Amino acid sequence: MSMELHAYLGLSAESELTRDCAAQAETLVAQHIGTASVPEAILARAVLEVGADLYHRQRARLGVVGLDGPDVQPLRVRTDPMTAAYPLLRPYLAPVIA
């Protein structure tokens, strides 16, 4: 999955950071879905989205990405890396009853 993540991020080469983020993303998504059956394409997309958020979080200064170049385009990093994955996975998970 780390090869897909570095390509998704538009990076020229795989790094230890992308490998770590991909592994963490796979773990977070797996913990969230538990034993639910999720189509492989949806699962892969959820892992990519979570991995990208984890990667950007690692590189964010003060929680903001885009402050490290001549073309400043600040973007706030999400506090929960699973935020982008929740709507993708929701249709395949059992409803939560409180």
Side-chain angles (χ1 to χ4, degrees), residues 18-73:
T18 56
R19 285 190 293 274
D20 289 346
C21 289
Q24 292 169 16
E26 288 174 351
T27 300
L28 286 170
V29 171
Q31 287 175 344
H32 183 70
I33 65 171
T35 59
S37 178
V38 177
E40 192 61 37
I42 300 298
L43 190 60
R45 180 59 184 218
V47 170
L48 277 178
E49 293 292 339
V50 173
D53 280 354
L54 288 169
Y55 175 83
H56 290 304
R57 175 187 277 180
Q58 293 284 334
R59 301 193 64 239
R61 288 190 290 160
L62 303 173
V64 179
V65 175
L67 297 177
D68 56 352
D71 299 326
V72 176
Q73 296 180 356

